[in-house]
C-alpha cells in the first residue's frame, strides 16, 4: 500500500518535494491532499501536481482521514503552531528544517509527538542522501583514521530574498543554510555534544545574521570549523580530515551527488525532474520520503538518520551561536 502524503503549504519547497515524490513508484508514494491558507492557491497547486484534494485551511488537512503523514513545508516561524495542530490531531509529521525557532519550540513539538504516539522527523534531507550514507560507512570502517578536523562552508547570495533577511520571517544565515554545516559536523562526530561553541558574525540592520563562523571543540581535541553567509558565495563543500586521509563532500554539501575520498571521486546521480525545480538537486528530497516510508512501515516514531535527539542538539547549538552573535527572535522571549 502506498504511503499517503498530505502537503501543508503551496510554496516553493512544497512544489519541489511534490516533484521529488513523482520520481518514486506510485505504488509506494501518493499525494492525496494539499492545503494552503488560500483555497485558490491550493487548487492551483493541486492541478499542477495532480493532487485529488485541495483545502483552504490547515485544519481540514488535519481532519482528513486518508492521510498517513503530513509534509510541513511552510515558513519555520509557523512550524510550532502548525506542527502542534497536526501532532495533536494524531498525525505523523515530516517538518521542514529548521525544526522550529529555538529549543523550547522544538521540545514542544517532540512532547506533542510522544503524547500522541506519532512519527515526527525534522526534514534535514542531507542525512538521507546516498553520499551521507557512504560517509557514515567510511567513517565506521576507519577509512580516514581518527577524524581531527571538519570544515564546512555554505555561502549563497540571497540578500534580495525577504525570508532570508527579515526577522519576522525567521531570516538569517544560520537557520537557513548554516544549520546544514552544523548537522554534518554532528553526524561526523556521531551526535556527540561539543565541549565548547564559539561563534562570531555580522548582523544586518534587520537584526539577523548575514554571515557567521562557528567553531566547535569536541573531546580528544577534535575541531569543527563552519562558515556560512547569505551575502557571498562560498565553496559550499565540506572536508573531513583524519589521521589517514580525507573525505570531501563536494558542492553543494547539503545535497551532494559527488564524494571525494583521498582524491578519488564517486558520483551518485539524481533522477531528472518532471517539472522545473526551485532549488538545487531537489529531486533528492525523494530520499527523505523513502526514509519516512521505511519508518512508518516498521512502526517507528522517529528516524535513526535524523533522530529527535539529533534535532535537539542541533537546535541547542544554534541557540548558543545566536546568543553569542546577538540574534534574538520574538519567539525567544515567549
Amino acid at each position: 500500500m502506498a504511503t499517503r502524503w498530505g502537503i501543508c503549504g503551496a510554496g516553493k519547497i512544497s512544489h519541489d518535494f511534490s516533484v521529488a515524490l513523482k520520481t518514486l513508484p506510485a505504488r509506494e508514494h501518493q499525494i492525496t491532499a494539499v492545503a494552503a491558507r488560500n483555497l485558490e492557491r491550493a487548487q492551483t497547486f493541486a492541478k499542477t501536481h495532480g493532487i485529488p484534494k485541495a483545502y483552504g485551511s490547515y485544519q481540514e488537512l488535519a481532519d482528513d482521514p486518508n492521510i498517513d503523514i503530513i509534509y510541513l513545508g511552510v515558513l519555520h516561524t509557523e512550524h510550532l503552531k502548525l506542527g502542534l495542530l497536526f501532532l495533536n490531531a494524531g498525525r505523523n509529521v515530516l517538518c521542514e528544517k529548521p525544526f522550529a525557532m529555538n529549543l523550547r519550540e522544538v521540545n514542544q513539538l517532540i512532547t506533542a509527538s510522544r503524547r500522541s504516539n506519532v512519527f515526527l522527523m525534522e526534514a534535514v534531507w542531507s542525512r538521507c542522501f546516498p553520499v551521507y550514507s557512504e560517509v557514515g560507512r567510511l567513517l565506521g570502517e576507519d577509512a580516514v583514521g581518527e577524524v581531527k578536523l571538519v570544515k564546512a562552508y555554505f555561502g549563497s547570495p540571497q540578500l534580495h530574498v525577504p525570508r532570508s533577511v527579515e526577522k519576522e520571517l525567521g531570516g538569517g544565515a544560520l537557520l537557513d543554510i548554516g544549520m546544514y554545516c552544523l548537522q554534518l559536523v554532528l553526524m561526523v562526530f556521531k551526535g556527540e555534544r561539543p565541549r565548547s561553541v564559539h561563534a562570531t558574525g555580522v548582523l544586518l540592520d534587520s537584526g539577523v545574521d548575514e554571515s557567521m563562523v562557528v567553531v566547535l571543540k569536541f573531546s580528544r581535541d577534535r575541531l569543527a570549523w563552519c562558515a556560512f553567509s547569505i551575502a557571498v558565495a562560498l565553496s559550499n563543500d565540506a572536508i573531513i580530515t583524519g589521521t589517514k586521509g580525507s573525505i570531501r563532500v563536494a558542492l553543494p554539501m547539503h545535497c551532494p551527488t559527488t564524494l571525494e575520498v583521498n582524491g578519488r571521486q564517486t558520483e551518485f546521480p539524481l533522477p531528472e525532474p518532471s517539472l522545473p525545480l526551485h532549488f538545487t538537486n531537489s529531486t533528492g528530497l525523494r530520499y527523505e520520503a523513502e526514509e519516512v516510508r521505511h519508518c512508518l512501515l516498521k512502526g517507528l516514531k522517529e528516524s535513526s538518520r535524523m533522530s529527535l535527539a539529533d534535532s535537539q542538539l542541533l537546535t541547542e547549538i544554534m541557540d548558543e551561536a545566536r546568543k553569542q552573535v546577538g540574534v534574538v527572535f520574538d519567539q525567544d522571549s515567549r
Side-chain angles (χ1 to χ4, degrees):
M1 180 181 293
T3 298
R4 300 169 299 177
W5 290 87
I7 306 296
C8 176
K12 293 180 179 179
I13 191 61
S14 292
H15 167 88
D16 284 13
F17 185 79
S18 299
V19 173
L21 284 179
K22 293 292 186 180
T23 69
L24 296 168
R27 66 180 181 278
E28 296 180 0
H29 297 270
Q30 294 178 4
I31 305 175
T32 58
V34 59
R37 288 177 297 177
N38 178 280
L39 177 58
E40 183 178 355
R41 189 174 185 191
Q43 290 172 333
T44 300
F45 190 97
K47 183 178 180 180
T48 298
H49 295 282
I51 302 171
K53 294 180 183 178
Y55 297 125
S57 75
Y58 300 127
Q59 183 65 56
E60 291 175 283
L61 189 65
D63 293 338
D64 189 332
N66 298 311
I67 291 174
D68 298 312
I69 184 159
I70 303 290
Y71 172 75
L72 187 51
V74 297
L75 283 174
H76 40 278
T77 50
E78 299 295 310
H79 286 180
L80 177 64
K81 180 178 70 174
L82 295 180
L84 291 177
L85 170 67
F86 296 124
L87 293 169
N88 289 335
R91 297 297 179 188
N92 300 306
V93 173
L94 174 65
C95 179
E96 254 309 329
K97 47 64 58 179
F99 218 161
M101 295 300 293
N102 52 40
L103 182 59
R104 178 184 55 78
E105 291 192 350
V106 168
N107 286 339
Q108 284 183 262
L109 291 171
I110 292 173
T111 297
S113 73
R114 289 173 174 164
R115 184 172 56 242
S116 296
N117 194 32
V118 294
F119 176 86
L120 176 63
M121 177 182 173
E122 182 181 11
V124 181
W125 63 323
S126 311
R127 292 287 182 100
C128 302
F129 266 69
V131 166
Y132 275 68
S133 298
E134 184 66 6
V135 169
R137 184 187 69 80
L138 290 167
L139 294 177
E141 294 178 355
D142 202 34
V144 295
E146 182 182 15
V147 174
K148 300 296 290 184
L149 177 64
V150 180
K151 294 186 290 183
Y153 309 84
F154 198 159
S156 174
Q158 50 197 57
L159 295 179
H160 60 288
V161 180
R163 69 169 180 82
S164 297
V165 300
E166 295 180 14
K167 180 180 285 190
E168 294 75 16
L169 301 180
L174 176 62
L175 294 189
D176 190 15
I177 59 178
M179 56 83 59
Y180 285 119
C181 300
L182 295 171
Q183 67 80 27
L184 182 143
V185 168
L186 293 178
M187 187 199 79
V188 170
F189 290 121
K190 300 178 181 178
E192 179 182 326
R193 182 181 301 278
R195 293 191 170 181
S196 66
V197 177
H198 295 285
T200 186
V202 176
L203 303 187
L204 296 171
D205 290 340
S206 63
V208 303
D209 53 304
E210 173 204 273
S211 304
M212 194 182 294
V213 174
V214 180
V215 179
L216 306 174
K217 185 176 181 179
F218 293 85
S219 63
R220 304 195 304 278
D221 294 329
R222 296 169 299 157
L223 294 173
W225 192 91
C226 301
F228 38 90
S229 174
I230 55 173
V232 297
L234 296 177
S235 58
N236 294 4
D237 62 353
I239 302 172
I240 304 163
T241 305
T243 53
K244 297 179 183 177
S246 65
I247 297 171
R248 177 174 175 262
V249 180
L251 63 91
M253 55 79 63
H254 68 301
C255 53
T257 58
T258 303
L259 184 66
E260 185 179 301
V261 183
N262 295 329
R264 298 182 61 182
Q265 289 191 352
T266 304
E267 300 292 331
F268 298 82
L270 288 168
E272 290 297 317
S274 57
L275 292 170
L277 298 169
H278 294 287
F279 303 107
T280 304
N281 288 351
S282 279
T283 50
L285 290 163
R286 72 200 304 265
Y287 299 126
E288 67 181 8
E290 288 181 305
E291 171 65 9
V292 167
R293 176 174 167 81
H294 166 79
C295 291
L296 294 182
L297 290 176
K298 286 185 170 292
L300 302 176
K301 304 307 177 186
E302 61 181 292
S303 167
S304 61
R305 289 182 182 267
M306 188 66 196
S307 70
L308 298 178
D310 291 334
S311 293
Q312 287 174 307
L313 179 56
L314 173 61
T315 309
E316 183 180 333
I317 292 170
M318 292 196 295
D319 282 359
E320 177 60 26
R322 285 198 296 111
K323 179 181 178 181
Q324 292 183 22
V325 174
V327 178
V328 181
F329 293 110
D330 290 343
Q331 291 85 351
D332 296 327
S333 59
R334 291 175 186 169

